[in-house]
Amino acid sequence: MTVVRRNLFKPFSSLTFLTPQKRLKSYTPQFKSPSKYCYNLNFRSSLDSNFDEKEKNTLNLNHPILQKVDACCNLAQFPQIHAQLIILGLFQHPLAASRVIKKLSSLPNGLNLAVSLLEKLEEADAFMCNTIIRSYLNQGNPDSGLVFYYHYVIGGCIMPNHYTFPLMIMVCVDVGSAVDGEKFFGVMPQRDAVSWNCLIDGCARLGDVIAARECFDRMPNRNVVSWNTMLSLYVRCKEYDECVTLFDRMMKGKVQPNEATLVSVLTACGYLCRLDRGKWIHQYIENNRRIKPDVLLYTSLLTMYAKCGDMDMAKNVFDSMPEKSVVSWNSMIMGYGSHGLVEKALETFLEMEKSGKIPNEATFICVLAACAHSGKVLEGWWYFDVMHRVYKIEPKVEHYGCMVDLLGRAGFLKDTEELTKEIHMKGGSALWGALLSACHTHSDIQLGEFVGKWLIEQKPKDIGAYLLLSNIYAAQGRWEDVDKVRKLLKDKGLHKEAGCSKACFGESELDYSLKDGSIHKRNMIHSMMRQISSQVKLSGSEMAYQCDT
DNA sequence: ATAGGGTTAG
C-alpha cells in the first residue's frame, strides 16, 4: 500500500488547485469495479454537462431521476439510471452526483463503483469524499479509507471540510495509528467539539485512557456528547467508580444528561451494586419528561436492578417495556440465574422462545451459567445441544467454559477433563483453570497436581494456578508442597494482591481488605458473617461460613 | 452528512 503523504502538513490555503482536466489525468484508479458492472464510465454525451448555472442552483430535489436514485436498491438497476442521468445532462451536476455516490456507497459491492464514478466527475467535492470514506469505515475497511484520502482528497486537491477531520481521526484509530490521528487533529483549521470528542474516544480505543481524560479536561467547549464519550469509555475499561464520580461532576456543573448519559451511568451502578444511585436515576427518568426512554435505556435500567439483586424491580421494568430486545431477555435470564432463581431463569428462556425472539450466543452463556450455579447437569447438556442443533450457534470457548464449570462443580471430573482436552485441541487453552478449580472443589489431588503443574509450565506469570495448586496441597495437609509452591511464586517475583470487599449500608461504605489491620472492622465483619451463616443454615442450605480469625 | 448508549462463565 502506497500512501501519498505530500501536502498533508501544508496549510490548505497554500495548495495549488489543478484544473479539473489535469486533476482527472492525475488520477490512477486503484479501485477495481466488479467486472459484472464494469460498463463504460468514460462515455460522455454531448448533453453531459450542459446544465446552465441557473439549473445548477435550482435542481429540483424531487426530480424524478433523483427519486429513482434514492429508490435504487441493487447494483443491477444502476446502469439504466446512469444512462438517464447522462441523457438528462445531470451526470456532472454536483447535487445529483452526491446523491448517486451516497446511494452507491450504501449498496452491497457499490463502493468501488462509487469511487470510479467520482473519478469521472469534473467537480468532486468534500461531501462526496466524506461519504466514501465513511462507507469504508463502516464496512470495516479503514485502510482503504486512508488510501482514498491521500490519493483522491490530497492527490486530487479536493479541499477537506470540517466533516472530514473527525472522520479521518476515526479512520486512523481503526487502522491503529495514534500518530496519524494526532496529525489530523493538528492540521485542522478549526477544532470543534466533534473533533475533540473523536480524539477523546480515539485515545481510549487505542488504549490510553489517561490521554483521553487529559483531552477531555483540556478541551474548551464541552457538550453533552463529550461527557457521554468519557462516561462510556470508563464503562468500557471497567473504571466504574470513575464513571459515577464524573457523572456527579457533570450534574454539579448543571450539564443536562440525556439518554446515552444515563445508560452509561446505570451500567456502572450495576457493576458497583449501587442500588441507591440506580434508583435515583430511575426517579430522574420518571421526573424528567425531556428523557424519552428507549429499549437501550430500559434495558440498562433493568440490568442495573438485576445486577443489584432486585429482581422484582427488574421484572417490573421488563414488563413495562413496549419493546424488548434479545439483550433485555438475556439480562433477565442472567439476573435470575446469578441470584439462585434457576427455575425462573429457564422459564424466562422458554418465554423468550415463545415470544419469537431468537436467542444469541450471550443468551446461552446466561442459560448455561444458570445451570452451572444450580448443578443442573442434564439441563446444561440439553441447552448446549439446543444451541448447536436448533439455533446453529457454534459453541465458543466461553460456552465450553460454562460446561467445564458445570461438570466440574458437579464432580464429573473425568468428563470435564475430556472436554477440556477436546477444546485444547481446538485451540482454546483458557479452560484448564476451570478444571483445576473443579479439582480443588472436589479434592481430586491426582488430577489437580497434574493440571496445576502443567498450567504453571504454560503460564508461569499467571498466579491463579499457583494459588489453586497450593490450596489443593493445603487441603490435604501437604504443607511441604505448599511451601514449595509459595517459594516458586516468590522466586519469580510474583505476589497476590490482597483481596478487597466493599459493602454499602445506606449512605455509608465499608472497604475491607485482608491486609487491613483494623481488628474492629474485622470483628464486625466476622460477626455479621456468622449471623448470615446461621440464617443460611436455618433455611436448610448446606452453605456455611468458615471463619478463620 | 459529522461525535456518545444495553447482555456474555470462573
Side-chain angles (χ1 to χ4, degrees):
Chain A
M1 181 175 84
T2 352
V3 176
V4 188
R5 284 180 188 278
R6 69 194 163 98
N7 290 340
L8 178 62
F9 306 111
K10 280 188 187 172
F12 292 103
S13 54
S14 73
L15 293 181
T16 30
F17 283 85
L18 304 176
T19 60
Q21 279 71 23
K22 271 194 188 163
R23 205 163 75 202
L24 277 178
K25 272 183 199 152
S26 76
Y27 287 142
T28 6
Q30 285 192 338
F31 300 81
K32 266 195 170 167
S33 315
S35 54
K36 196 174 160 194
Y37 302 111
C38 197
Y39 53 90
N40 188 4
L41 281 162
N42 287 316
F43 170 72
R44 291 265 179 83
S45 144
S46 56
L47 294 165
D48 192 15
S49 51
N50 67 352
F51 57 90
D52 57 25
E53 276 305 307
K54 195 176 146 219
E55 196 186 348
K56 186 173 170 181
N57 296 326
T58 59
L59 174 68
N60 178 8
L61 289 172
N62 294 319
H63 193 291
I65 187 65
L66 293 188
Q67 287 183 359
K68 222 170 182 178
V69 170
D70 288 347
C72 172
C73 57
N74 65 60
L75 238 42
Q77 301 169 331
F78 192 73
Q80 197 198 3
I81 294 175
H82 186 208
Q84 284 178 344
L85 277 165
I86 292 174
I87 291 163
L88 287 165
L90 288 174
F91 177 65
Q92 289 289 342
H93 194 292
L95 226 155
S98 296
R99 286 273 268 275
V100 170
I101 286 176
K102 183 148 199 196
K103 171 52 79 177
L104 275 178
S105 343
S106 74
L107 294 176
N109 304 319
L111 199 42
N112 291 332
L113 192 54
V115 175
S116 334
L117 203 135
L118 181 118
E119 285 175 359
K120 308 301 165 202
L121 293 178
E122 286 167 10
E123 283 184 68
D125 63 21
F127 178 96
M128 304 167 188
C129 294
N130 295 346
T131 305
I132 287 170
I133 295 170
R134 187 171 306 120
S135 301
Y136 277 126
L137 192 63
N138 291 341
Q139 290 177 16
N141 191 359
D143 293 295
S144 294
L146 198 60
V147 173
F148 179 90
Y149 178 81
Y150 282 111
H151 192 75
Y152 290 89
V153 181
I154 298 299
C157 290
I158 296 167
M159 182 76 112
N161 64 11
H162 70 288
Y163 286 92
T164 316
F165 295 103
L167 198 54
M168 289 315 296
I169 293 176
M170 290 193 289
V171 166
C172 293
V173 169
D174 273 19
V175 169
S177 168
V179 182
D180 276 1
E182 277 171 24
K183 279 178 185 166
F184 276 102
F185 192 71
V187 297
M188 290 182 62
Q190 60 190 41
R191 289 163 202 165
D192 55 10
V194 178
S195 35
W196 274 101
N197 295 346
C198 287
L199 190 70
I200 292 170
D201 197 54
C203 288
R205 279 181 203 278
L206 292 170
D208 196 341
V209 183
I210 308 279
R213 182 56 191 257
E214 276 169 11
C215 290
F216 176 80
D217 288 334
R218 217 173 65 210
M219 75 177 280
N221 297 309
R222 286 187 279 265
N223 61 16
V224 67
V225 181
S226 322
W227 291 89
N228 293 353
T229 306
M230 208 55 220
L231 292 171
S232 74
L233 75 85
Y234 276 140
V235 171
R236 265 204 315 264
C237 66
K238 304 185 181 195
E239 303 219 18
Y240 307 114
D241 271 319
E242 289 292 339
C243 176
V244 176
T245 312
L246 192 68
F247 176 67
D248 286 340
R249 240 189 75 191
M250 180 177 175
M251 296 303 278
K252 266 190 201 147
K254 302 266 183 266
V255 186
Q256 289 217 321
N258 65 13
E259 290 79 3
T261 320
L262 302 178
V263 166
S264 294
V265 184
L266 280 170
T267 308
C269 289
Y271 280 102
L272 293 170
C273 280
R274 293 294 305 265
L275 187 58
D276 53 333
R277 302 297 304 267
K279 277 185 175 166
W280 186 87
I281 293 172
H282 192 176
Q283 281 298 313
Y284 185 92
I285 295 170
E286 292 191 339
N287 296 337
N288 285 274
R289 279 286 152 99
R290 198 170 47 80
I291 305 286
K292 308 247 182 296
D294 53 12
V295 202
L296 270 71
L297 185 49
Y298 277 126
T299 304
S300 62
L301 188 60
L302 90 80
T303 307
M304 181 279 297
Y305 278 121
K307 281 206 155 69
C308 293
D310 192 337
M311 284 314 293
D312 291 338
M313 277 309 290
K315 180 79 165 60
N316 277 348
V317 177
F318 183 72
D319 287 340
S320 76
M321 288 172 73
E323 180 202 340
K324 300 170 178 66
S325 68
V326 183
V327 182
S328 329
W329 286 97
N330 292 354
S331 273
M332 285 305 288
I333 298 172
M334 181 274 298
Y336 283 132
S338 52
H339 291 102
L341 303 164
V342 194
E343 300 299 337
K344 287 250 186 202
L346 299 182
E347 246 170 55
T348 310
F349 177 77
L350 293 180
E351 272 176 48
M352 177 184 184
E353 282 185 309
K354 251 191 260 165
S355 81
K357 271 271 177 288
I358 310 289
N360 64 9
E361 282 177 23
T363 316
F364 283 99
I365 290 174
C366 300
V367 170
L368 294 175
C371 295
H373 283 155
S374 56
K376 290 191 177 298
V377 178
L378 281 178
E379 286 85 344
W381 271 122
W382 163 258
Y383 285 113
F384 190 74
D385 181 56
V386 165
M387 168 174 89
H388 199 169
R389 193 167 39 82
V390 181
Y391 294 102
K392 312 286 173 213
I393 297 171
E394 229 7 85
K396 289 190 7 186
V397 181
E398 287 85 348
H399 299 107
Y400 282 113
C402 294
M403 290 310 287
V404 168
D405 190 37
L406 173 76
L407 296 168
R409 277 178 197 248
F412 294 95
L413 291 182
K414 195 72 202 149
D415 301 78
T416 315
E417 187 188 355
E418 270 165 25
L419 198 60
T420 308
K421 276 183 184 157
E422 187 189 323
I423 302 149
H424 183 72
M425 300 303 273
K426 290 182 184 169
S429 59
L431 300 182
W432 291 94
L435 176 58
L436 183 55
S437 177
C439 294
H440 175 223
T441 311
H442 296 282
S443 313
D444 188 325
I445 183 155
Q446 216 179 354
L447 185 57
E449 197 171 9
F450 171 75
V451 175
K453 283 184 175 167
W454 184 84
L455 255 177
I456 289 174
E457 230 171 78
Q458 298 297 309
K459 292 183 177 177
K461 286 191 176 166
D462 184 355
I463 58 171
Y466 295 90
L467 295 176
L468 278 168
L469 184 58
S470 119
N471 287 345
I472 289 174
Y473 285 138
Q476 303 288 314
R478 286 170 55 173
W479 303 110
E480 274 179 25
D481 289 317
V482 172
D483 285 343
K484 268 188 210 160
V485 179
R486 299 266 159 176
K487 190 172 175 302
L488 209 59
L489 263 176
K490 212 175 162 188
D491 290 348
K492 293 191 178 165
L494 301 168
H495 62 96
K496 179 174 178 337
E497 300 257 333
C500 178
S501 302
K502 181 186 246 178
C504 301
F505 310 96
E507 288 298 301
S508 55
E509 280 180 8
L510 184 66
D511 281 313
Y512 178 65
S513 157
L514 262 183
K515 65 179 176 188
D516 202 319
S518 160
I519 299 284
H520 173 66
K521 249 190 197 176
R522 199 185 276 201
N523 287 343
M524 196 167 94
I525 287 170
H526 284 301
S527 94
M528 189 182 290
M529 286 302 288
R530 264 185 230 102
Q531 272 184 34
I532 296 174
S533 179
S534 62
Q535 282 180 18
V536 170
K537 267 185 195 161
L538 278 176
S539 75
S541 165
E542 288 170 13
M543 201 174 100
Y545 172 60
Q546 302 275 317
C547 143
D548 182 15
T549 35

